[in-house]
Amino acid sequence: MSCTIEKALADAKALVERLRDHDDAAESLIEQTTALNKRVEAMKQELQAHIDQITEMAAVMKKAIEIDEQQGCKEQERIFQLEQENKGLREILQITRESFLNLRKDDVSENTSLSALVTNSDLSLRKS
């Protein structure tokens, strides 16, 4: 029996040693898992920071597009106003030219008439 008790004690010691080895391996795995979880969490936070930056950039770009479109509309409106003003000024210029040409014709006609009168009266005075 003593062989059996010694054998049982040796087996128990071997089991305790194996349990310690398994416990150390489990502790190591827990530490590795904890470290891995920390790294994963850090990567998630970094990813979230990138997502936040991209979201912010997208919002800024959207606002810039809106402002650009508003500016484009304002510029289009201003161009339209200037074109209308230009058209009106051209019409006024045309009317002014036509009026000026008509006045010139009238002046030329009057000058011709006056010239004839002056010439006729000058001749009359010379004859007398």
Side-chain angles (χ1 to χ4, degrees):
M1 267 208 192
S2 92
C3 259
T4 314
I5 292 176
E6 287 177 8
K7 186 171 188 306
L9 283 174
D11 286 345
K13 283 182 181 179
L15 285 174
V16 167
E17 191 62 37
R18 285 179 63 193
L19 283 174
R20 284 186 185 149
D21 289 343
H22 285 291
D23 188 47
D24 289 343
E27 189 65 37
S28 176
L29 286 173
I30 289 170
E31 287 174 6
Q32 290 176 6
T33 303
T34 302
L36 204 57
N37 282 336
K38 286 180 182 177
R39 286 180 59 196
V40 168
E41 191 59 37
M43 291 171 78
K44 282 181 183 178
Q45 289 176 357
E46 187 177 333
L47 181 64
Q48 186 61 46
H50 286 302
I51 290 171
D52 292 345
Q53 286 178 337
I54 291 169
T55 302
E56 183 180 350
M57 287 172 54
V60 168
M61 289 172 61
K62 182 179 178 183
K63 183 66 176 175
I65 289 169
E66 288 173 4
I67 291 171
D68 195 35
E69 286 175 350
Q70 289 172 354
Q71 281 298 111
C73 289
K74 286 179 183 177
E75 287 175 4
Q76 286 297 100
E77 288 174 12
R78 184 68 178 142
I79 289 170
F80 179 75
Q81 289 173 347
L82 290 173
E83 286 174 344
Q84 293 302 312
E85 184 179 332
N86 191 14
K87 183 179 176 183
L89 289 171
R90 287 180 188 273
E91 289 173 0
I92 291 171
L93 180 62
Q94 184 62 32
I95 292 168
T96 305
R97 281 184 183 157
E98 289 172 1
S99 297
F100 180 74
L101 289 175
N102 287 336
L103 284 174
R104 252 179 111 191
K105 284 180 186 176
D106 291 346
D107 283 349
V108 169
S109 298
E110 286 178 16
N111 283 342
T112 305
S113 300
L114 285 174
S115 271
L117 285 174
V118 169
T119 305
N120 286 339
S121 53
D122 193 32
L123 286 175
S124 300
L125 285 175
R126 284 188 186 168
K127 288 183 183 174
S128 27

